[in-house]
Amino acid sequence: SPERKASIIWSIIVQLLLFVLAAVSSYSRLYLSQHFALDVLAGMCIGVLSVAIVAHIFATAMRRKAG
């Protein structure tokens, strides 16, 4: 449906904007010598892991609700 397609497009746009924001923020921390590269990399790993855990919990809850 057109609404579903628009929703997917907006979701992709938001994800790209958030990725760019995180990338610029990470780069600025390194450029301004506020953090070491390993600190930024560890923060990225923690962020990705957190998102994966929340996505798994959400998907499990939605499956239980649906069936």
Side-chain angles (χ1 to χ4, degrees):
S1 74
E3 293 87 17
R4 176 81 173 133
K5 194 177 218 181
S7 175
I8 291 171
I9 290 171
W10 277 109
S11 176
I12 291 171
I13 290 171
V14 168
Q15 289 176 22
L16 285 173
L17 287 174
L18 290 174
F19 176 80
V20 169
L21 178 65
V24 169
S25 177
S26 298
Y27 178 74
S28 74
R29 298 292 86 199
L30 294 171
Y31 181 77
L32 296 172
S33 300
Q34 296 297 312
H35 294 282
F36 294 110
L38 190 57
D39 296 340
V40 173
L41 183 60
M44 287 179 190
C45 291
I46 290 170
V48 168
L49 183 62
S50 299
V51 168
I53 290 170
V54 169
H56 175 70
I57 292 169
F58 182 76
T60 301
M62 294 304 286
R63 277 194 302 268
R64 286 184 182 168
K65 183 178 179 181

